[in-house]
Amino acid sequence: VGLRYSEIYEFWTGHGHVFLQKESAPVVTRAYLVRVNAGDKLVVPFGWAHLVVTEGDDVLSFGAWCARDNRLEYGQLRALRGPCCYFSADGALTPNPRYAQVPHVRSIAARDLPSLGIPSDQPIYTSWRAHPQLFEFMANPEIVGDVWDHL
């Protein structure tokens, strides 16, 4: 599969969730439902499957930054017909029966995830212009090591 990369999401309008699952395979060991609102930034752990879910009638709009060499890999998720949990309009999570193991999904806020030094009080582009070294992990994920192992 090759090296996988982190992404940075910057949410502009609305509110909702980012669903993260550690593996894109029938056995998932960790999964999180991350609450996001306009103004939040979220660094997606490299290699984790993720999707954005809008909540309510407002559009949840966002921009995503990723490394130029990033390759989106959806084959395993397509074979399993989606993530390890499905989302209902009422906010309920239902385990996807095609998975052999679905963990308890923990609810957390975007601020509970490592920010890797990305400022939360200014747009990503502004941060990158002022401090491009903060974004080096995007093309070189090995420099952050096991920062997400505690999740």
Side-chain angles (χ1 to χ4, degrees):
V1 169
L3 193 57
R4 299 170 88 192
Y5 299 90
S6 292
E7 296 177 49
I8 303 173
Y9 286 5
E10 176 177 56
F11 294 90
W12 300 323
T13 63
H15 59 278
H17 293 90
V18 175
F19 183 77
L20 299 170
Q21 67 184 52
K22 185 165 177 13
E23 297 86 7
S24 296
V27 173
V28 176
T29 59
R30 289 185 275 169
Y32 297 90
L33 191 60
V34 184
R35 175 85 175 153
V36 293
N37 296 292
D40 283 342
K41 292 171 187 60
L42 178 98
V43 178
V44 175
F46 58 88
W48 286 53
H50 53 283
L51 63 105
V52 177
V53 180
T54 297
E55 183 178 285
D57 294 330
D58 295 332
V59 173
L60 178 61
S61 66
F62 63 95
W65 280 49
C66 62
R68 183 181 311 266
D69 292 336
N70 193 22
R71 299 290 179 257
L72 302 176
E73 300 170 8
Y74 295 111
Q76 289 179 303
L77 288 177
R78 281 190 188 109
L80 292 163
R81 296 200 180 158
C84 69
C85 289
Y86 293 128
F87 300 85
S88 300
D90 66 1
L93 293 174
T94 303
N96 179 338
R98 292 166 188 85
Y99 282 76
Q101 178 180 316
V102 175
H104 168 75
V105 177
R106 287 187 44 212
S107 292
I108 60 174
R111 69 180 174 278
D112 295 331
L113 292 171
S115 68
L116 302 180
I118 305 301
S120 62
D121 61 344
Q122 57 189 353
I124 292 174
Y125 186 75
T126 302
S127 298
W128 176 77
R129 294 282 303 196
H131 306 285
Q133 72 279 3
L134 293 177
F135 296 81
E136 289 179 11
F137 73 92
M138 294 186 70
N140 303 291
E142 67 279 359
I143 66 175
V144 297
D146 60 358
V147 70
W148 284 288
D149 282 354
H150 76 280
L151 291 178

